[in-house]
Amino acid sequence: MQNGMMQKNWTKNTAQKVAVFLNKHAAHSEVANFEPRYSTVLSITDENGTYFLEVFGVGAGIYLATHSQMIDGLTVADPLNLKKFKLSDDNQKMVKEINNFGFNKLIAGTEYECLGENTSLHQ
């Protein structure tokens, strides 16, 4: 811990598993678009445990899935096959593409299937 923040450094030799996936969030009534929203989650497992880094939006997930070789030699698993979606500067456009495809279809048969049960990673 440093300044109340945990500091971790992973390399291809210390990270045992790295995966990127999406976490679904319920639509908010304050937002004009009532469709579900998503955040990108990067899961990193090392000898001490599994850590989850979550950021708003879909773009980070698609970027990590398509550019994993750029992350210090770490191979990033893409269990949802996010690389099939087009990366854009417009998060809403990417969300719409995922919603049109179907989130439940996207997670079907993966270890993340539980995220389709109207819950999020946080529950």
Side-chain angles (χ1 to χ4, degrees):
M1 290 282 235
Q2 184 177 44
N3 297 329
M5 308 268 304
M6 180 174 67
Q7 301 289 316
K8 293 289 287 183
N9 291 311
W10 291 283
T11 67
K12 61 184 174 182
N13 297 323
T14 59
Q16 298 165 346
K17 179 182 176 187
V18 182
V20 64
F21 62 96
L22 300 179
N23 187 24
K24 179 180 174 182
H25 300 277
H28 295 286
S29 59
E30 306 87 48
V31 179
N33 181 343
F34 294 107
E35 294 183 293
R37 312 289 289 172
Y38 304 95
S39 57
T40 293
V41 181
L42 184 64
S43 166
I44 303 173
T45 302
D46 66 16
E47 64 185 18
N48 298 311
T50 300
Y51 305 87
F52 297 94
L53 304 141
E54 186 171 20
V55 296
F56 172 77
V58 176
I62 296 171
Y63 183 86
L64 288 169
T66 57
H67 294 83
S68 64
Q69 71 280 3
M70 298 177 69
I71 306 173
D72 196 29
L74 295 172
T75 301
V76 178
D78 178 18
L80 304 184
N81 196 21
L82 297 175
K83 62 184 155 283
K84 72 176 146 210
F85 298 104
K86 184 174 168 60
L87 184 61
S88 168
D89 289 336
D90 184 349
N91 185 66
Q92 187 57 37
K93 184 177 178 180
M94 292 180 289
V95 166
K96 186 177 230 81
E97 187 177 355
I98 289 167
N99 285 335
N100 287 341
F101 181 83
F103 186 70
N104 287 340
K105 183 178 172 184
L106 185 66
I107 60 175
T110 72
E111 63 185 291
Y112 306 103
E113 214 163 12
C114 63
L115 296 176
E117 299 170 0
N118 292 327
T119 62
S120 80
L121 183 67
H122 302 290
Q123 296 177 336

